[in-house]
Amino acid sequence: MTAVLPERPRTAPAPAATPSVTDLLDRLALAPPARTAVVAADRELSFAALRAEAMRIAGRLAARGIGPESVVTLALPRGADLVAALIGTLTAGAAYLPVDPKLPADRRRYLVEDSGADLVVTADDTAGPLAPDTAHVTVSDLLAPAVEDLIAADGDPEDAYRPVPVSGDHLAYVIYTSGSTGRPKGVEIDRSAVSALLAELEYEGIAVPGHGRVGWNASPSFDASVQQWVRLCRGDTLVMIDDDTRADPVLLARFVDEQGLTDLDITPSHAEPLLDLLTDGGGPRPLTLLIGGEAIGPALWRRIGDRAAAGVLRAVNLYGPTECTVDSTAGWIDAADEPHIGSVLPGLRMRVLDDALNPVPPGGSGELYLAGPRVGRGYRRRPVLTAERYVADPAGDGGRMYRTGDRVRLLPHGRLAYLGRADGQVKLRGHRIELPEIEAVLTAQPEIAEAVVVLRDEVDGAPGLVAYHRPQDPAAGPVDAADLRARLAAELPAYMVPAAFVAVDRFATTTQGKLDRTALPAHARAATAAPAGTAAGPALTRSQALIAGVWSTVLGKTGIGPDDNFFKLGGHSLLAIKLVSRVRAELGVTLPVKAVYANPRLRDLAAHIDTLVAAAPGQDA
């Protein structure tokens, strides 16, 4: 069933049905040489410098046999080196595999080995190889000037920028997502699909005409980062956002103003505390918020719409699975509307089908399938899984469509309302998580016989994961939750480690013998019955008692003592943001989020706040 799209303001020619792969790198070559291409904490690059570094890296890669269909792992933090290495890899005709250096070592090694990567690029060689059987090189070695570079510098360095010719169906990147089989799976995306993504962002008025300053906010391992770096290829400046700034709404709002950002990709969870801190900077156009990664609730939708109506920002809700090149639908946020994910972008066709694969009528609900040239190749080295998720398109043109597993409702004008998942996948703070992957790691622990992980709407004051587990030997006593959490943290990204662990004697089943999730016990808060400062623990000082009160509000716990640790009580990045907001509101102190990570114990955080108050009340740390 093909949707009827509403009229939208178009700001660019309609994208070609089959864009050329050379669109991106050819357009990059046209950007003014003196314009700033990359702004990072360590250094800035003009477009001339970026093209020169990319060509140098491409030459070094080619000398190692890297070319079309090769995969180069980029195990680099967000920074100018990452951008140069990424563009250099594409210039060599190869594909890149981003591996966040902050991931656990075992997971990083798995991504390299499972992908069959040809080369790993790291920031330095002090930590040893990620995967012993894969060739490694440091980014500084790739960038080091050679005699031939010095000779070329006597002429026009722009003449040296010559990307390796490739076709549109050559591989551009491999990005791993959480896997329902217990292991992450790599999604393969071709170059023409990435070119089409940029053309569609321009066509839909999301990337507006003129020179933009785009914040790189996402982890390089998250596919939203693709939407950010492609903006370089139209001549926009890419501004790298460091981790401290990303995590702190006050710092991020200040960064937006100081850097003059025109575009910021952000999840709803992180947009909410930022909204009231954004101001109309008086620039040539308001900030565009590209919001995605999880559903937007009605209250937040109205708040965003109100800020848009006030002219402070523009906001578009973007939806899309990694398997279909980042963004599949787009909908502008207006407070007068109910939440929706917009309508399908030009590079894809949508089908909303029932369980028998029949189209549902307008107003009906069903599973969303996506077809068209931006549908990815499939899962790297996973032919069976690829066949399960990429199925024949009933349109009869011989094409494939991707089964998203998302349930939607058809609204007027081709819009879609998101209704949730049809399987075990969830979204938490912008991250896509397959719950069976966490369950597989849990049941691999010797004392765990069976495990079930669910997403609860309210876990210590925010949505979170709860792991229910049955022991192998009930007579051995309870499994230590802190030890279990530490073991999972060594194998899984932090966002996949459950916030709570609940032991059960057995799992209830339905009459059909399946797990009865409705019978899982409610998550019990790890709280004592006694209020803070009673005989349950040491007495609190005045400042400690004030902070304990804020912790109780944010974490939903009582009986907090001076040696309690915010993160061991269930705190996480989103709750840390809420914590500093409450401290600001109740104590009049501007507390950076990084101070919570540096002082996780109550007594230490209280002492830090006392120092701030004594030094400069109401001022920034």
Side-chain angles (χ1 to χ4, degrees):
M1 180 174 185
T2 302
V4 178
L5 298 178
E7 290 297 321
R8 300 186 224 176
R10 309 299 188 186
T11 61
T18 55
S20 167
V21 64
T22 57
D23 285 351
L24 285 180
L25 297 183
D26 281 355
R27 292 183 66 180
L28 180 68
L30 298 175
R35 177 182 291 172
T36 301
V38 181
V39 177
D42 54 345
R43 62 194 181 110
E44 295 188 7
L45 291 174
S46 66
F47 274 95
L50 175 62
R51 290 189 286 254
E53 289 194 4
M55 196 61 214
R56 182 180 301 162
I57 290 171
R60 301 281 169 78
L61 293 177
R64 291 172 169 268
I66 300 297
E69 294 302 305
S70 298
V71 174
V72 177
T73 299
L74 302 182
L76 302 168
R78 279 190 310 278
D81 285 351
L82 171 63
V83 181
L86 191 158
I87 299 299
T89 299
L90 295 175
T91 301
Y96 77 94
L97 164 67
V99 174
D100 195 327
K102 293 186 175 181
L103 291 173
D106 285 348
R107 193 176 184 89
R108 283 181 282 144
R109 181 170 56 252
Y110 170 81
L111 299 184
V112 175
E113 293 175 346
D114 182 75
S115 67
D118 300 280
L119 182 68
V120 177
V121 180
T122 59
D124 56 55
D125 55 9
T126 58
L130 285 184
D133 295 333
T134 305
H136 284 59
V137 65
T138 65
V139 68
S140 58
D141 286 341
L142 292 178
L143 285 170
V147 173
E148 60 269 24
D149 298 317
L150 298 176
I151 294 173
D154 291 335
D156 184 354
E158 293 294 298
D159 292 340
Y161 182 71
R162 291 289 184 272
V164 171
V166 289
S167 65
D169 58 5
H170 276 113
L171 193 61
Y173 64 79
V174 180
I175 285 183
Y176 273 74
T177 68
S178 182
S180 59
T181 60
R183 283 293 194 175
K185 53 190 183 295
V187 178
E188 297 184 320
I189 299 295
D190 289 343
R191 296 203 170 202
S192 61
V194 187
S195 296
L197 173 66
L198 178 58
E200 291 167 34
L201 292 175
E202 293 175 313
Y203 179 62
E204 295 294 330
I206 297 169
V208 303
H211 173 214
R213 290 178 65 86
V214 181
W216 184 329
N217 190 31
S219 163
S221 291
F222 188 29
D223 70 328
S225 64
V226 176
Q227 177 204 86
Q228 291 151 45
W229 70 253
V230 295
R231 298 287 294 273
L232 271 175
C233 300
R234 67 191 298 269
D236 290 342
T237 297
L238 195 57
V239 183
M240 316 301 284
I241 306 176
D242 64 82
D243 287 334
D244 288 343
T245 301
R246 292 175 68 226
D248 192 318
V250 173
L251 294 180
L252 183 55
R254 184 183 304 160
F255 187 88
V256 169
D257 286 340
E258 292 175 349
Q259 290 292 334
L261 294 190
T262 60
D263 300 80
L264 178 65
D265 186 276
I266 197 166
T267 64
S269 297
H270 288 94
E272 185 169 13
L274 180 69
L275 286 178
D276 293 334
L277 300 172
L278 293 173
T279 60
D280 182 358
R285 61 178 184 261
L287 172 71
T288 298
L289 287 183
L290 297 91
I291 304 179
E294 58 193 5
I296 303 177
L300 180 57
W301 181 278
R302 288 190 293 271
R303 285 187 61 206
I304 296 170
D306 288 341
R307 298 295 277 165
V312 175
L313 52 85
R314 303 189 316 153
V316 59
N317 189 24
L318 295 168
Y319 157 88
T322 304
E323 289 83 349
C324 296
T325 321
V326 190
D327 298 320
S328 302
T329 71
W332 292 100
I333 298 177
D334 186 328
D337 293 330
E338 292 300 314
H340 60 84
I341 58 173
S343 48
V344 71
L345 291 171
L348 294 164
R349 300 183 301 276
M350 73 173 186
R351 320 269 189 236
V352 182
L353 308 177
D354 61 20
D355 292 341
L357 298 185
N358 296 314
V360 303
S365 62
E367 186 172 349
L368 178 63
Y369 292 73
L370 294 166
R374 278 208 292 113
V375 172
R377 284 187 186 181
Y379 299 112
R380 187 165 180 83
R381 302 165 68 169
R382 297 281 196 283
V384 175
L385 185 60
T386 297
E388 290 175 359
R389 303 300 298 186
Y390 294 81
V391 298
D393 188 344
D397 58 1
R400 300 177 309 151
M401 58 182 183
Y402 174 69
R403 181 178 184 177
T404 68
D406 289 319
R407 296 192 63 79
V408 296
R409 175 174 290 112
L410 276 170
L411 302 176
H413 307 298
R415 290 176 174 176
L416 298 170
Y418 181 78
L419 302 179
R421 292 291 301 176
D423 55 22
Q425 186 188 114
V426 299
K427 284 287 187 78
L428 179 63
R429 297 192 289 279
H431 298 286
R432 170 174 158 181
I433 300 171
E434 296 276 4
L435 297 178
E437 182 177 351
I438 307 174
E439 293 166 355
V441 176
L442 269 169
T443 53
Q445 308 307 314
E447 63 268 65
I448 303 298
E450 191 176 5
V452 174
V453 180
V454 299
L455 177 65
R456 294 291 196 196
D457 290 337
E458 188 71 14
V459 179
D460 297 329
L465 300 172
V466 179
Y468 296 88
H469 56 89
R470 181 173 64 81
Q472 289 278 9
D473 181 8
V479 180
D480 182 80
D483 179 58
L484 202 54
R485 179 179 287 108
R487 278 184 271 165
L488 265 64
E491 296 190 49
L492 297 170
Y495 62 85
M496 292 180 69
V497 178
F501 294 82
V502 179
V504 298
D505 294 329
R506 66 180 185 86
F507 287 107
T509 57
T510 65
T511 54
Q512 289 79 28
K514 297 182 179 180
L515 172 71
D516 186 357
R517 292 179 179 269
T518 64
L520 291 171
H523 163 52
R525 298 184 186 277
T528 62
T534 68
L540 301 177
T541 66
R542 180 177 179 276
S543 60
Q544 289 172 359
L546 287 172
I547 302 303
V550 176
W551 282 27
S552 295
T553 300
V554 172
L555 296 172
K557 299 181 184 298
T558 59
I560 296 173
D563 291 314
D564 279 330
N565 183 300
F566 180 77
F567 297 101
K568 290 184 178 179
L569 289 178
H572 49 69
S573 60
L574 184 56
L575 289 180
I577 292 173
K578 290 186 177 183
L579 171 60
V580 299
S581 297
R582 297 288 301 191
V583 168
R584 188 183 309 115
E586 297 189 19
L587 305 180
V589 175
T590 299
L591 180 71
V593 170
K594 65 180 179 181
V596 182
Y597 285 89
N599 303 279
R601 283 197 315 168
L602 177 70
R603 69 166 72 250
D604 297 332
L605 187 61
H608 180 74
I609 291 174
D610 284 344
T611 301
L612 296 180
V613 173
Q619 299 301 311
D620 291 349

